[in-house]
Amino acid sequence: MAIEHLKSGKPEQQRAEDDAKVRATVETVLKDIETRGDAAIRELSAKFDKYDPPAFRLTPSEIEAAMQKVSTRDMDDIRFAQTQIRRFAEAQRASMVDIEVETLPGVILGHRNIPVQSVGCYVPGGKFPMVASAHMSVLTASVAGVPRIAASAPPVNGAPHPAIVAAMHLGGAHEIYVLGGMQAVGAMALGTETIEPVHMLVGPGNAFVAEAKRQLYGRVGIDLFAGPTETMVIADDTVDAELCATDLLGQAEHGYNSPACLITNSRNLAEATLAQIDRLLAILPTRETAETSWRDYGDIYLCDSYDEMLSLANDLAYEHVQVMTDRDDWFLENMHSYGALFLGPRTNVANGDKVIGTNHTLPTKKAGRYTGGLWVGKFLKTHSYQRVTTDEAAALIGEYGSRLCMLEGFVGHAEQCNVRVRRYGGINVPYGAAAPYREAAE
């Protein structure tokens, strides 16, 4: 039989209409920031966050004062998480090596991995202050060697969030701003009278932040389209419904539009998971958000086979994919479109979100089909170079280059090669002609 959709959320048309409204709002806001700079971001901050400070950038003394409000135990936990994330980021950085190779006698080719020179890291803090996002962006950029790291997060209860500030500072931020949402992303990308524009934007956020990054892409680089969080559970009857329901709701509480889906080949598990979700929603303190998200963006798919489950999972290309089956390694080997995998019942998405060491800024809205998540390599640009060290190599490569340029009709290109064939090879190539073949020249 075909895949059975036991529970579905909003129709795609309604989701598209929601996206269109977000797109129009963001376009207006970005134009305003570009036109009016600091005045615009100040009005937006007052409107959305009720925050209008003398300056949005924190001074060293303000950073120190915020950090003093973080308890010793919380600071220890932040340091522990950053240690795990730094270890993995450093291992990833070590895997990226500069190379230089002699491909022909006298022909040297190479590449260098060069850090982006400035990065703006956005740390969400709307309903929930996302302390971990500071580790994932700021710290990873620091490991990559980015020389200027600006970080911004919205105020919480009218003030900088102490733990977010601590995480940014410990992670290596050079500039810390208390500015949220579209206005933060727009200010860092476009620049204002008091904020120097960056070369790249990174970090997750709500639908408005994700859309702002999309519209700014090209003017600045971005890590990826990291919109409202998505979670998928792939499970069979080797696990129970409570585990599945807990993992679905654990991410649905992020926001009102956070997709969550279960893919299973067990009808009993699917139906039991629906019942467990109802039970857990009755006691979950974040029920208001999670229930709305599950109602409008929750799905359960019943499949006939593991192959069908795999195909559907790859097609949906969700951000977080929790796999709890009797063949987790098979899914690891065969899945190709996702943000991150969480294999087996002993781990979970929250581990990845907060502490285990992998990055939690991951592709959403099927972007996992063409990109992975944020990692140290996103902050590095791989630039190639070439060097020709002998006359013989200059003449040989020049001859081939001349003929291939003329094949395409590029006479000016060909002359770049020809002048070197004449000078270093002693071959009198007529102007605007292709270099002769060696046997003809001889």
Side-chain angles (χ1 to χ4, degrees):
M1 69 176 185
I3 296 171
E4 188 176 348
H5 207 162
L6 294 184
K7 193 270 176 196
S8 59
K10 275 187 178 182
E12 285 299 322
Q13 179 60 35
Q14 287 186 32
R15 299 188 190 193
E17 290 170 1
D18 291 343
D19 290 344
K21 293 174 184 176
V22 170
R23 188 159 53 248
T25 300
V26 170
E27 185 174 4
T28 300
V29 166
L30 293 180
K31 283 182 179 178
D32 191 31
I33 292 172
E34 186 170 22
T35 302
R36 299 195 299 123
D38 283 338
I41 64 170
R42 186 166 293 282
E43 287 179 12
L44 290 162
S45 178
K47 176 181 178 181
F48 292 116
D49 293 321
K50 307 296 187 291
Y51 186 66
D52 187 12
F56 290 104
R57 180 176 176 178
L58 295 182
T59 64
S61 61
E62 288 172 328
I63 293 170
E64 180 62 27
M67 292 178 65
Q68 290 296 323
K69 298 176 182 177
V70 183
S71 72
T72 300
R73 288 188 172 181
D74 284 345
M75 195 68 84
D76 287 344
D77 287 347
I78 289 170
R79 288 194 172 98
F80 177 85
Q82 291 202 350
T83 297
Q84 312 319 307
I85 294 155
R86 182 177 288 105
R87 283 174 180 166
F88 191 57
E90 288 174 346
Q92 290 180 310
R93 179 64 185 90
S95 74
M96 301 182 67
V97 296
D98 295 350
I99 64 169
E100 185 172 278
V101 59
E102 190 170 21
T103 57
L104 287 170
V107 176
I108 309 297
L109 306 181
H111 77 224
R112 297 181 61 224
N113 295 299
I114 302 172
V116 173
Q117 293 301 288
S118 59
V119 171
C121 301
Y122 183 68
V123 176
K127 284 182 174 293
F128 305 101
M130 298 281 285
V131 177
S133 288
H135 319 324
M136 305 298 175
S137 57
V138 174
L139 188 152
T140 309
S142 181
V143 171
V146 176
R148 177 187 168 226
I149 303 170
S152 189
V156 176
N157 298 322
H161 190 278
I164 289 180
V165 173
M168 288 173 168
H169 180 72
L170 294 175
H174 303 109
E175 304 165 21
I176 297 177
Y177 297 90
V178 184
L179 195 60
M182 298 175 287
Q183 57 270 29
V185 171
M188 289 191 290
L190 300 171
T192 71
E193 297 91 327
T194 59
I195 301 175
E196 182 182 348
V198 297
H199 296 170
M200 183 180 185
L201 288 171
V202 302
N206 62 19
F208 294 92
V209 169
E211 175 60 21
K213 287 170 65 179
R214 189 192 69 80
Q215 292 188 22
L216 290 163
Y217 178 58
R219 177 171 291 204
V220 296
I222 65 170
D223 47 358
L224 50 118
F225 298 122
T229 194
E230 304 165 346
T231 197
M232 171 188 292
V233 174
I234 300 174
D236 59 18
D237 56 13
T238 61
V239 292
D240 61 83
E242 182 185 30
L243 210 55
C244 294
T246 300
D247 287 342
L248 290 167
L249 293 180
Q251 295 299 304
E253 73 176 359
H254 258 285
Y256 70 91
N257 57 351
S258 297
C261 81
L262 170 67
I263 298 177
T264 184
N265 55 2
S266 168
R267 182 177 293 275
N268 287 339
L269 179 64
E271 293 174 349
T273 298
L274 279 170
Q276 283 292 320
I277 286 173
D278 289 341
R279 182 184 71 82
L280 292 173
L281 281 173
I283 58 175
L284 185 66
T286 54
R287 169 180 177 168
E288 181 182 358
T289 304
E291 186 173 45
T292 300
S293 187
W294 176 247
R295 181 193 68 213
D296 292 345
Y297 291 86
D299 295 275
I300 292 182
Y301 300 93
L302 179 62
C303 300
D304 282 337
S305 66
Y306 289 101
D307 284 333
E308 206 169 56
M309 293 163 68
L310 173 68
S311 177
L312 178 59
N314 277 324
D315 182 60
L316 294 174
Y318 265 41
E319 176 189 16
H320 305 101
V321 180
Q322 173 86 37
V323 182
M324 297 182 288
T325 68
D326 65 4
R327 58 198 72 192
D328 297 345
D329 286 343
W330 179 80
F331 279 96
L332 173 62
E333 292 167 6
N334 289 283
M335 284 202 67
H336 52 68
S337 298
Y338 57 90
L341 291 181
F342 304 82
L343 300 168
R346 292 180 179 82
T347 192
N348 63 84
V349 175
N351 281 350
D353 277 350
K354 309 303 177 189
V355 68
I356 206 166
T358 54
N359 206 290
H360 80 191
T361 304
L362 301 167
T364 63
K365 296 196 174 215
K366 294 195 173 185
R369 296 172 299 172
Y370 58 82
T371 185
L374 183 60
W375 69 296
V376 71
K378 289 278 188 179
F379 297 103
L380 297 166
K381 306 170 294 159
T382 302
H383 294 276
S384 62
Y385 63 89
Q386 59 176 263
R387 182 186 298 116
V388 178
T389 60
T390 66
D391 292 352
E392 293 79 3
L396 177 64
I397 290 293
E399 291 166 33
Y400 279 97
S402 169
R403 294 192 294 268
L404 290 167
C405 290
M406 291 301 293
L407 179 65
E408 297 177 354
F410 284 113
V411 178
H413 285 60
E415 276 305 307
Q416 290 181 265
C417 300
N418 286 343
V419 70
R420 287 160 176 83
V421 173
R422 297 182 194 112
R423 292 189 181 190
Y424 299 110
I427 300 172
N428 188 19
V429 183
Y431 187 87
Y437 289 94
R438 287 266 170 153
E439 59 269 25
E442 294 169 355

